[in-house]
Amino acid sequence: MTDNTVAGLAALQQRFARWALGQTEEVDFVGLIEGPGLWVHRNTVRLTLGDALGDLFPVTRQVVGDDFFLRAAKDFLRQEPPRAATLLHWGGGYPAFLEQYAPAADLPYLPDLARLEWRRHLALHGPEATPLTAADLAALPPEQADDVTLCLHPTAHLLVSDWPVLDLWQAHQTENGLDRLTFARGRQEILIVRPHAMVELYALPAGGSGFLAALDQGLAAAIAAAMVEHPTFDAGALLGLALSQGWFRSPVPETGAE
Amino acid sequence: MISADAAPGLPRRAGIGLKPQHYADILRAGPQGLSVGWFEAHPENYMGAGGPPHRWLTAIREHWPLSLHAVGLSLGSAEGVDPAHLTRLKALVDRYQPQMVSDHLAWSQVDGLYLNDLLPVPLTATARDVFADNIDRVQAALKRRILIENPSVYLRWTGAEMTETDLLADLVRRTGCGLLLDVNNVAVSCGNLGADPVAYLRDFPMQAVEEIHLAGHAVRVVEGQMIRLDDHGSPVSPDVWDLFALTLRWMRDRGLPPPPTLIEWDTDVPSLSRWQEEAVQANHLLSSVWQQEGTDDR
């Protein structure tokens, strides 16, 4: 009965994979000696991947609790199994999954909390680049300084949420942090960036995310973008902070480049 | 005996796995302060563009030999090795110049899905040919030999046309690869399949063994059956130490040199100093067996 061709082996592996991921409940393996071993593999696949997802979204996991998290992880795994043999690239679809996930409907801030954690993960493993400093800018000849394009550091990610998810995340980093948490603050604009070894998180002033996102179109365009909705936005203050904290990448001048 | 490789291999003593919680302790202790001759890391954990994992590994690689022990090549995949994954592995091999590269006699990827588990392959000529083609492809891409590890097995497919040890011997002949003998996996697999671990070791192609793995495993009851789980979550068990000592005596008696030996620990990871105690015990066996040349009876 066993198909001993390469195509037969491929078909067996496909069936096994769908069963192990929980995409089918049908144990249909011609040529298999059944035994607890089969279930060991299914458990290993689901538990190790559930744990891996928990490592990526530790605060989300704390908020919903282990049981809820692992149940949701199984559902996510069925829909979006890993596609590459490194788990560093898996989980980006989890925040969007939570948005559609009915059991999490009464936690409307959960998808954005997960987005914050995913972007933290991306920043942690993102490319290295030397941050731009105020001294680098000052060293430029004046004719170049006018044409400088400020580029966000390659590990930089912006997040705008209707919920104070950075406050929520930070409250989970200390023992009694939740006691002081309030949702009254509402909307939060957040920058996630890793200029050096550590990922840094910043709550931006209103308009800050639009400003930073538009900087690659030039300073004037960025200021305009921020002031449309936030007329009191202070670009100078934010630029000073950005340069002192390494939010931009060096080298500076890309003048003349198309 | 001198290794056939131009590049010097791993030290012929005990190494341990590299874990993030130990990075700082390792660098603080330095090569003189540790009884660990080398480290083994899973390349899949270092496949991001940058960040702390690379910063630490770079610093540690400056002082210690390194083995990259892959879990994701899926050498038993009928559809072949994922070229994107091979490219990522090659980049790491080029960057860190490890003394050893290895993966398993298993599959983990099919149809664009990755299962994060080392799954068994039927012991057939077809599966052997699939492995051989995949190993050839990896060795050609990396421009170096790799080692293949005997897996921990929980089930057998019917229709076996050969034993696992014969399949491994065939792969050595056909691809020129070496073998990584995981003695704990021998205990786990033979325990789960009702086989004799000593007989398995007697059939193992020892001449091709270039590295040994030791680890702890758990014993659980699943669906009424006792099962050995390869969880790497405890000290090396006494029966595995005995099988290790037996393996070393057989290697010595065949004129082989002491093999680089890794202590693995992946769950409930202990302190660096506790882990080192296992390495010290392995080092003790590695040196004492070769000092007692020919004095043991078999």
Side-chain angles (χ1 to χ4, degrees), chain B residues 173-197:
Chain B
R173 271 192 297 273
R174 285 180 48 175
T175 71
C177 70
L179 297 180
L180 194 172
L181 170 56
D182 189 316
V183 178
N184 179 57
N185 286 356
V186 173
V188 166
S189 300
C190 291
N192 289 334
L193 302 176
D196 173 11

Side-chain angles (χ1 to χ4, degrees), chain B residues 4-122:
Chain B
D5 277 355
L10 292 171
R12 300 193 170 280
R13 50 190 293 235
I16 67 171
L18 184 59
K19 295 290 169 202
Q21 57 265 50
H22 295 150
Y23 288 149
D25 288 346
I26 288 166
L27 285 171
R28 238 191 320 274
Q32 306 308 318
L34 285 183
S35 334
V36 168
W38 51 282
F39 288 97
E40 187 161 285
H42 296 308
E44 289 78 8
N45 295 336
Y46 297 85
M47 288 180 172
H54 285 292
R55 290 168 175 238
W56 289 108
L57 187 59
T58 301
I60 287 167
R61 181 68 188 90
E62 279 176 26
H63 299 286
W64 282 276
L66 176 71
S67 161
L68 286 182
H69 183 50
V71 294
L73 280 171
S74 196
L75 295 169
S77 276
E79 64 184 19
V81 171
D82 177 3
H85 196 71
L86 188 51
T87 301
R88 288 190 289 263
L89 180 62
K90 178 158 172 46
L92 284 175
V93 169
D94 289 347
R95 176 169 179 179
Y96 290 103
Q97 298 288 313
Q99 275 73 11
M100 198 65 87
V101 179
S102 53
D103 204 323
H104 303 75
L105 189 78
W107 67 280
S108 56
Q109 203 168 7
V110 63
D111 225 4
L113 305 171
Y114 174 65
L115 300 173
N116 201 37
D117 190 13
L118 296 164
L119 299 160
V121 166

Side-chain angles (χ1 to χ4, degrees), chain B residues 210-224:
Chain B
E210 294 176 38
E211 182 182 337
I212 283 187
H213 274 184
L214 302 174
H217 63 264
V219 179
R220 299 264 188 282
V221 176
V222 179
E223 294 189 342

Side-chain angles (χ1 to χ4, degrees), chain A residues 22 30-31 41 44 48 60-61 84 95 107 113 117 160 245:
Chain A
V30 177
H41 285 300
T44 303
T48 60
T60 307
R61 182 174 181 154
L107 300 173
L113 177 64
E117 294 202 283
V160 180
Q245 301 300 309

Side-chain angles (χ1 to χ4, degrees), chain A residues 38-99:
Chain A
L38 200 53
W39 296 92
V40 169
H41 285 300
R42 198 185 208 200
N43 270 340
T44 303
V45 169
R46 295 216 231 168
L47 290 178
T48 60
L49 288 172
D51 278 345
L53 203 65
D55 289 346
L56 281 173
F57 300 98
V59 177
T60 307
R61 182 174 181 154
Q62 281 178 50
V63 166
V64 300
D66 278 352
D67 289 348
F68 186 103
F69 187 87
L70 291 175
R71 245 191 338 271
K74 272 188 186 175
D75 292 335
F76 175 64
L77 180 59
R78 257 197 301 277
Q79 291 182 25
E80 277 188 54
R83 296 271 162 194
T86 165
L87 295 180
L88 292 176
H89 301 163
W90 179 59
Y94 184 65
F97 162 86
L98 286 177
E99 221 145 53

